[in-house]
Amino acid sequence: MKKLAAFGTALVLFIISAVILHLTVAGRVAVEEGGFGTWINTYKDMSYKAVSANIDDDTVMYMGSSEFQHGKDTPYHPTEIFRSMKMDVMCIGAAYNQCLSHAITMGAVGPELKSKKAVLILSPSWFNGPGVEKDAYGVRFSESMYMAMLENPNLSDDVKKKIADRSEELLSNSPALQESVKRYDKIFLGKGGNAADKAYFTMKKAFLSEREAINVKTAWKTTEEKDYRKFMETAKSGVPDWKGLISKADKEFKEISKGNDFHMDDRLYNKNIKPALKKEKNSSTARRFWKDSPEYGDLDIFLQVCREQDIDVELILLPVNGWWYDYTGFTADKRTGLTEQIKEVADRYDVPLYSFFDRDYTDGWLEDAVHPAGKGWVEINEEAYRFFTEG
């Protein structure tokens, strides 16, 4: 009897603790003080509840990939620039995010996006291979975003089916996740979803919402909230002096890129490039930007998702480090055609493309082979700001 009583007491305490945790953490995901959108965090990015709860009337979407994880502690990164301006910018992006994962996110949160404004930063490396890799897609696949996308009444069955077919294919290396997606697709795409599938969907959706809210709120409070408040105490408000920032970034970069021939940050060069320098010489002579890369099709899907929700979107294309790519054998003559092909896709949807691809030999624009340095971030953010505020 004592053991049974102890078990009962423990169960009651567990339930009370779970309820308290739900009410104090999971129950509130919206961050009232702001700054949440420019927090670079994958917990946030992959949580439909967290992202949608923090989209307000003037929120704009700023989407990309690993570049968001570079330069976060500099005054040139979107985190500091847009927080200083007190602009409500929702940054979504980390390594392995590509067009299809962003299509799902936009399909999920589109109904909440009242501003109808979005910028997608395109990395050239997405287009020089067979599209997003299966393992990479699985790492960045958000089940809660996918569920919300399927439930979005503003999206056609045609675009949902395109996303579903690609996702089922790309998740073949993640069998448990693939099986869940197939069950969801049966419900929403007329594939014979039964009562068990619908019950599974309902329970899984509730579980994911609860888990993601706890993870996001805990991460925000332990890693970002204090830093945000401290930053805002001294932040200069108003539109930055873009030219002044570029000049400052130029001076700083000259001091940290004196030890290599590839115009890279010396710290990154010594850590990531120098150890394999001899091995990389002419290692990419057969490399090309694929004219038939599946990434163009995924970009088409992303733009279709935006069009069906009347979202005004701009594409921004990054450059590559020309000195380094030449060294590896992926020379300038082999890198031609990318901007034109992306523009062909953009033109089908009457979407503007702003290309920085010609900055491949601009000192201080990239800090390594592909990621923006200070000058690069300033120019990217200035263009994004112009697009977000025009009209």
Side-chain angles (χ1 to χ4, degrees), residues 38-324:
T38 50
W39 175 37
I40 308 304
N41 182 274
T42 52
Y43 279 135
K44 177 205 78 179
D45 291 1
M46 296 176 70
S47 169
Y48 167 72
K49 184 174 184 177
V51 173
S52 61
N54 286 281
I55 292 179
D56 298 316
D57 289 348
D58 55 351
T59 302
V60 292
M61 299 293 289
Y62 201 12
M63 312 178 90
S65 54
S66 59
E67 64 275 357
F68 281 128
Q69 297 167 307
H70 288 252
K72 288 189 292 184
D73 298 324
T74 72
Y76 318 113
H77 192 269
T79 295
E80 298 213 10
I81 283 182
F82 289 109
R83 282 183 178 179
S84 294
M85 288 191 284
K86 297 182 180 179
M87 278 189 67
D88 195 353
V89 177
M90 181 65 71
C91 294
I92 303 287
Y96 307 132
N97 277 124
Q98 293 186 205
C99 294
L100 192 62
S101 60
H102 286 311
I104 292 171
T105 298
M106 192 63 79
V109 305
E112 282 80 38
L113 192 65
K114 304 299 188 295
S115 73
K116 301 297 182 183
K117 287 271 189 173
V119 164
L120 175 61
I121 301 173
L122 302 174
S123 295
S125 59
W126 298 356
F127 301 90
N128 63 15
V132 61
E133 296 180 2
K134 291 182 177 182
D135 289 338
Y137 187 69
V139 166
R140 287 289 168 258
F141 185 84
S142 167
E143 228 174 318
S144 64
M145 289 290 189
Y146 190 83
M147 290 172 160
M149 178 276 297
L150 288 173
E151 290 184 305
N152 185 350
N154 300 323
L155 293 183
S156 66
D157 286 346
D158 174 63
V159 74
K160 288 179 183 178
K161 188 175 186 305
K162 288 178 181 178
I163 293 173
D165 289 345
R166 279 286 283 155
S167 294
E168 289 186 17
E169 170 199 353
L170 289 169
L171 291 172
S172 61
N173 288 0
S174 309
L177 196 53
Q178 184 190 52
E179 185 57 34
S180 292
V181 166
K182 286 181 177 179
R183 295 185 78 170
Y184 308 151
D185 293 343
K186 285 197 294 183
I187 298 169
F188 290 93
L189 298 176
K191 297 182 178 180
N194 55 33
D197 293 324
K198 293 176 182 178
Y200 177 81
F201 178 89
T202 301
M203 289 187 292
K204 190 66 176 292
K205 180 181 175 182
F207 168 76
L208 289 171
S209 177
E210 193 88 356
R211 184 184 69 181
E212 291 175 354
I214 292 171
N215 288 341
V216 170
K217 195 67 175 182
T218 302
W220 168 259
K221 286 205 168 284
T222 57
T223 67
E224 189 71 9
E225 188 174 46
K226 289 181 181 178
D227 289 342
Y228 167 72
R229 289 177 178 175
K230 184 178 180 181
F231 171 79
M232 291 307 294
E233 288 175 0
T234 57
K236 296 180 180 179
S237 59
V239 179
D241 174 8
W242 302 108
K243 290 183 179 179
L245 278 177
I246 288 176
S247 177
K248 183 172 184 279
D250 263 334
K251 290 178 182 177
E252 290 179 356
F253 196 80
K254 287 176 182 177
E255 293 302 313
I256 62 172
S257 60
K258 295 179 177 180
N260 67 91
D261 297 326
F262 303 105
H263 304 256
M264 296 181 184
D265 181 321
D266 287 332
R267 177 181 58 86
L268 297 175
Y269 169 79
N270 290 328
K271 179 182 178 181
N272 302 323
I273 303 297
K274 190 175 181 180
L277 190 62
K278 291 182 179 180
K279 179 182 174 183
E280 292 295 329
K281 177 71 173 177
N282 291 324
S283 62
S284 300
T285 55
R287 196 174 177 185
R288 301 287 189 280
F289 288 117
W290 291 27
K291 292 185 177 180
D292 57 349
S293 170
E295 195 66 28
Y296 294 107
D298 292 342
L299 176 59
D300 191 284
I301 291 172
F302 173 83
L303 295 178
Q304 188 176 349
V305 167
C306 292
R307 184 176 66 182
E308 291 189 356
Q309 300 181 98
D310 296 322
I311 294 171
D312 191 14
V313 61
E314 178 181 58
L315 305 177
I316 292 180
L317 177 62
L318 299 182
V320 297
N321 184 315
W323 297 285
W324 173 249

Side-chain angles (χ1 to χ4, degrees), residues 8-25:
T9 302
L11 180 61
V12 170
L13 290 174
F14 172 78
I15 293 172
I16 292 172
S17 299
V19 171
I20 292 173
L21 186 63
H22 169 77
L23 293 175
T24 57
V25 182

